[in-house]
């Protein structure tokens, strides 16, 4: 059975953010023709046949998909429709940087089929945005939201980054207030991580940036949980909040462990048993497809034990939780006493405090199951 959830990695960025270690391609001029043709080749190569198959969700991530512009996104979706039947009820998400969102571009995206937009705000502090190497300012975020709504893209998500170095003097409280004032349907939070081969990693290595205190990380995460939940959002996954009816359907498919396709440089894919990923470098991806070769970089067979481990982890990271046996109920009772979770009808759901300990709690529960 072909996957009903499809991820398209669009790698282009105007600049690499200080914290970014993703598979991106920094380009002043985006090679739209080359990219769209390469996606078409990958679809034909990896999913041969004359019949299309239905897709429930399509997610254009990056990189910065919005750099393709209005006509570029339309052409990309036309290429995808040659192999996929995008259902009338499908969720079609576009990640966008604020500076790319104008009323004109948003109208073109909506006409092409985009019905959900995820805007990378990250912060409303201009000094912080410059430190992150972002190419927009706070005013651009507000203009982008207005333009998206004016174009009819009302299903809107905002991304924010928390736990920044204390010497930046960033007001997390102010950023939360600014984001909520824009009345999005969805908010995603990401704690800053310092990866080795990034500008931020080099700053750390030479002592320009110190470690983020654990107490600050916990305080800001819990404060976000409190403030966003109070504004009427459901905290439905460790990093995600949604108003009723606006949970991210594509990402929720990942957390349920269902099959999904991954196209584009560095894209990952899962068929229920095997995980595979493409070469990350854009030029290598294009070159291999032009030669008629699968741009596969690696794959991993998930044996039953690993699938069980992932099922526990994915269940605990959402408000779906994990169904427990009698022995596991006894083991996790102490977690609930500590405020890390709740158990209802035999299902354990972690609290926000528990999500801060997700890795260790999932590992402990997996250990119990393996005995």
């Amino acid at each position: 059975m072909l996957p009903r959830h499809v991820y398209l990695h669009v790698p282009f960025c105007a600049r690499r953010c200080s914290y970014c270690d993703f598979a991106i391609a920094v380009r002043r001029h985006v090679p739209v023709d080359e990219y769209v043709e390469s996606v078409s080749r990958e679809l034909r190569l990896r999913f041969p046949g004359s019949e299309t198959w239905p897709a429930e969700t399509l997610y254009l991530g990056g990189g910065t998909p919005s750099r393709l512009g209005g006509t570029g996104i339309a052409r990309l979706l036309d290429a995808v429709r040659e192999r996929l039947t995008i259902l009338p009820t499908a969720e079609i998400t576009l990640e966008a940087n604020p500076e790319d969102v104008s009323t004109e571009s948003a109208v073109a995206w909506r006409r092409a089929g985009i019905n959900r937009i995820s805007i990378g705000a990250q912060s409303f502090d201009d000094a912080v945005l410059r430190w992150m190497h972002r190419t927009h300012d706070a005013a651009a975020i507000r203009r982008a939201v207005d333009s998206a709504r004016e174009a009819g893209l009302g299903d809107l998500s905002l991304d924010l980054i928390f736990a920044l170095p204390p010497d930046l003097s960033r007001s997390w409280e102010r950023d939360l207030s600014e984001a909520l004032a824009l009345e999005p349907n969805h908010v995603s939070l990401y704690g800053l991580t310092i990866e080795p081969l990034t500008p931020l990693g080099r700053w750390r290595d030479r002592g320009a940036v110190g470690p983020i205190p654990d107490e600050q990380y916990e305080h800001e995460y819990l404060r976000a949980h409190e403030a966003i939940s109070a504004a009427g959002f459901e905290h439905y996954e460790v990093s995600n909040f949604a108003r009723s009816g606006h949970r991210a359907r594509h990402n929720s498919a990942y957390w349920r462990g269902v099959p999904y396709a991954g196209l584009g440089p560095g894209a990952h894919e899962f068929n229920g048993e095997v995980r595979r990923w493409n070469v990350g470098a854009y030029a290598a991806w294009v070159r291999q497809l032009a030669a008629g070769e699968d741009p596969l970089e690696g794959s991993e067979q998930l044996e039953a034990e690993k699938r069980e481990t992932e099922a526990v982890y994915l269940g605990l990271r959402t408000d779906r939780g994990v169904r427990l046996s009698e022995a596991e109920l006894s083991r996790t009772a102490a977690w609930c006493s500590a405020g890390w979770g709740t158990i209802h009808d035999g299902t354990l759901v972690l609290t926000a405090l528990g999500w801060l300990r997700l890795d260790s709690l999932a590992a402990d529960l997996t250990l119990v199951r393996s005995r």
Side-chain angles (χ1 to χ4, degrees):
M1 223 177 153
L2 292 168
R4 299 172 73 91
H5 306 278
V6 180
Y7 174 79
L8 270 168
H9 185 71
V10 186
F12 309 111
C13 287
R15 186 183 187 188
R16 182 176 288 276
C17 295
S18 61
Y19 49 81
C20 174
D21 72 338
F22 297 155
I24 67 166
V26 176
R27 296 287 190 277
R28 179 176 296 178
H29 302 291
V30 177
V32 176
D33 293 345
E34 180 182 67
Y35 173 76
V36 172
E37 176 56 30
S38 296
V39 169
S40 293
R41 286 174 174 162
E42 186 172 5
L43 276 165
R44 293 193 299 268
L45 178 72
R46 298 204 25 240
F47 302 99
S50 57
E51 294 184 1
T52 63
W53 78 92
E56 297 176 13
T57 70
L58 182 66
Y59 193 102
L60 279 61
T64 315
S66 56
R67 292 210 73 218
L68 293 178
T71 57
I73 292 295
R75 289 172 54 198
L76 177 60
L77 291 181
D78 284 344
V80 168
R81 288 187 179 99
E82 292 176 5
R83 293 298 295 115
L84 299 177
T85 298
I86 302 176
L87 297 175
T89 56
E91 174 194 86
I92 310 175
T93 302
L94 173 75
E95 287 185 353
N97 274 2
E99 67 272 21
D100 296 330
V101 186
S102 64
T103 302
E104 181 183 16
S105 63
V107 165
W109 295 334
R110 184 169 177 271
R111 286 175 177 166
I114 299 296
N115 54 29
R116 183 175 182 272
I117 187 168
S118 178
I119 296 176
Q122 316 310 355
S123 176
F124 290 82
D125 184 316
D126 287 344
V128 167
L129 292 170
R130 287 192 295 271
W131 178 86
M132 291 180 177
H133 291 175
R134 300 293 292 175
T135 50
H136 69 271
D137 58 14
I141 303 170
R142 302 181 188 97
R143 289 196 299 270
V145 170
D146 289 343
S147 294
R149 288 199 170 116
E150 187 176 343
L153 285 173
D155 199 355
L156 187 146
S157 180
L158 293 178
D159 289 356
L160 294 174
I161 294 179
F162 69 99
L164 300 182
D167 57 7
L168 288 175
S169 300
R170 181 265 199 102
S171 171
W172 181 229
E173 196 74 35
R174 178 175 173 270
D175 272 355
L176 289 171
S177 296
E178 292 271 9
L180 292 172
L182 293 175
E183 299 184 332
N185 304 116
H186 191 279
V187 177
S188 296
L189 304 181
Y190 302 98
L192 183 70
T193 55
I194 303 179
E195 303 296 341
L197 301 178
T198 62
L200 185 55
R202 293 191 290 273
W203 299 344
R204 177 195 58 190
D205 293 344
R206 66 171 184 255
V209 174
I212 312 302
D214 290 343
E215 297 80 3
Q216 177 190 340
Y217 189 103
E218 178 169 324
H219 170 76
E220 293 189 3
Y221 181 78
L222 293 178
R223 179 60 192 125
H225 166 77
E226 178 184 291
I228 303 175
S229 298
F233 289 74
E234 302 162 349
H235 194 172
Y236 71 101
E237 191 269 344
V238 61
S239 299
N240 288 277
F241 301 77
R243 295 191 186 278
S244 180
H246 291 278
R247 297 187 179 201
R249 288 162 50 196
H250 182 86
N251 290 341
S252 293
Y254 296 156
W255 305 322
R256 294 197 312 274
V258 302
Y260 58 90
L263 304 163
H268 284 59
E269 177 174 301
F270 180 57
N271 69 3
E273 295 183 354
V274 178
R275 181 172 291 112
R276 60 158 280 161
W277 53 94
N278 283 348
V279 294
Y282 173 71
W285 174 76
V286 169
R287 186 169 56 250
Q288 288 185 224
L289 287 165
E293 301 172 0
D294 186 341
L296 173 72
E297 181 176 76
S299 63
E300 175 188 20
Q301 176 80 37
L302 270 65
E303 304 299 338
E305 183 178 344
K306 187 155 189 180
R307 288 202 300 271
E308 177 63 25
T309 297
E310 291 202 355
V312 169
Y313 179 79
L314 292 172
L316 287 181
R317 71 178 292 156
T318 71
D319 64 358
R320 181 169 50 91
V322 172
R323 185 80 176 171
L324 301 179
S325 66
E326 287 299 324
E328 292 164 349
L329 284 168
S330 300
R331 176 79 172 200
T332 57
W335 302 359
C336 299
S337 298
W340 300 343
T342 60
I343 297 174
H344 182 69
D345 290 337
T347 297
L348 170 68
V349 177
L350 296 186
T351 62
L353 194 61
W355 275 331
L356 287 165
R357 295 155 179 81
L358 174 62
D359 289 349
S360 61
L361 296 183
D364 188 69
L365 185 55
T366 300
L367 180 63
V368 173
R369 292 197 165 187
S370 68
R371 290 174 177 168

